[in-house]
Each structure stands twice: as structure tokens, then as C-alpha cells.
Amino acid sequence: MLEIILIHSPLVGPSSLMPTADILKAQGIKCATPSPLRPHAPPPSWQDWPVRLKGAIPDMASPIIVGHSMGGLLAARMAADLHAAGMICLDARMPPKSGPTPPVEPEFHDFLRTLPLTDGHLPPWQDWWEVDVFEGTDISDDRRKAALSDIPSLPLDWFDDAFDMPDWSGVRKGFVRTSHTFIDEARSAEADGWPVVRLKGTHMHPATHPEETAQAIIKCCADMQIS
């Protein structure tokens, strides 16, 4: 039986992945959406995030770690730490093979510096963009509110941090692309021999189209020869 751990990006919360987790569980798959975020508490630093996240992960014999967006970097780190059966980047940045790993690339860090701050904190992630992050989807009001309910408030200097990525080259790898944003990453993954599943959706597909996302994850596991 598959065991899947869904890792959310620190820019959002676990609620963004829970609809997909619910579909996977309904199909008899053991699935968890661990998070180091706690109500009314500041989020951990990027360097501390993997340690806190590891403490929130339930015991599983041989999990597949699936990281969404920035969570792809955390998925690689967790896959190495937990000796996972495999790792899937879900519309995510390609993790470095090893070494210092900041949360975002320099170009994106420059973009963050253009955003308005309140007491040194950035606005919520969904307000960073000129268009609605759910534009073009038929997400219900309830699911939309749930997906946005636990987005943390991050200070700008949170992004100045880095953790050390261990060598995770021995882990089986796959990629699920849901949006145009990560076309280049999907091509890079494919060039490196990773199985790649492509969907025609948005970056928030795990919240807006959980059935399709869950099936793509299951197919990617099969293509990675994990069952």
C-alpha cells in the first residue's frame, strides 16, 4: 500500500493540500499533511523548518514525499532524512543536489523586496500577484476560504536564510506539473530521467482539482515503480 506525505510550501498552509489528501485517503492510501505551523505562533525559520517538519511527520514504513511549490525543496530534504521510497516535486522548484539551499532564487528575492511591508512583514501570499490565484477555476467559496485560511505572515528577512541539503541522489524521483509556471522545471526533470506527469491547470491545482491531482500523484508513483 502506498504511503504518501504531502508537504506544503511555507508560503501557504496544509489546507492547500488537504483536498488532495482526502482523495488519496478515500482510495485506501495512507496519507498525511504534516506542518510545523501552529496557530498564534510565529512560523519557524527556513533553517529550522525541516527539523520542525520532521517532528510532525507520522511514522510510516516507506513513504513517498510529495512537495508542492517551495515544498519541493523540503521534500528532497525529508526524503534524504527519512530514507523515503521516493520523492515527487508537485509543481515545484528543482532541488539542488546538495549544499546550502535558500527558500527562493535571487531573482524572486528581488521581487519580494518590491512588495509593501507592514512592520517588516510581507502581505499574504495570495496578495502578491496582479491576478487572483484561483482565476479560471470553479473552486467553491468554502474550499477557497479553507485553502487560504492558514497562510502565514512571513517577514521579509525570513527569506535571507538557508539550510544545508544532504545528498538525496539515491532517492527515486518524479515530477507532477500542474501549471505553466514550472514548464522549465518539468523539462529539466525529464532530461534527468525523472518520470513526469503533466496536467493542464493552475499552481493551486491540489486545492481546486484534488481528484486530478491525486490521480497524477498515483500515476507518478507507478511510473517510478513504487506501489
Side-chain angles (χ1 to χ4, degrees), residues 177-192:
R177 198 205 86 195
T178 67
S179 73
H180 289 290
T181 305
F182 290 91
I183 287 177
D184 290 341
E185 284 81 359
R187 287 173 178 165
S188 178
E190 194 167 48
D192 284 347

Side-chain angles (χ1 to χ4, degrees), residues 120-165:
H121 284 66
L122 293 161
W125 170 79
Q126 73 270 22
D127 293 340
W128 294 5
W129 319 107
E130 294 181 358
V131 298
D132 184 350
V133 295
F134 296 111
E135 185 177 26
T137 71
D138 57 356
I139 187 171
S140 68
D141 287 343
D142 287 345
R143 186 173 284 179
R144 177 192 180 95
K145 289 177 182 177
L148 300 179
S149 65
D150 48 9
I151 290 180
S153 175
L154 295 174
L156 180 60
D157 60 10
W158 185 92
F159 294 87
D160 297 333
D161 203 359
F163 64 70
D164 192 54
M165 180 75 76

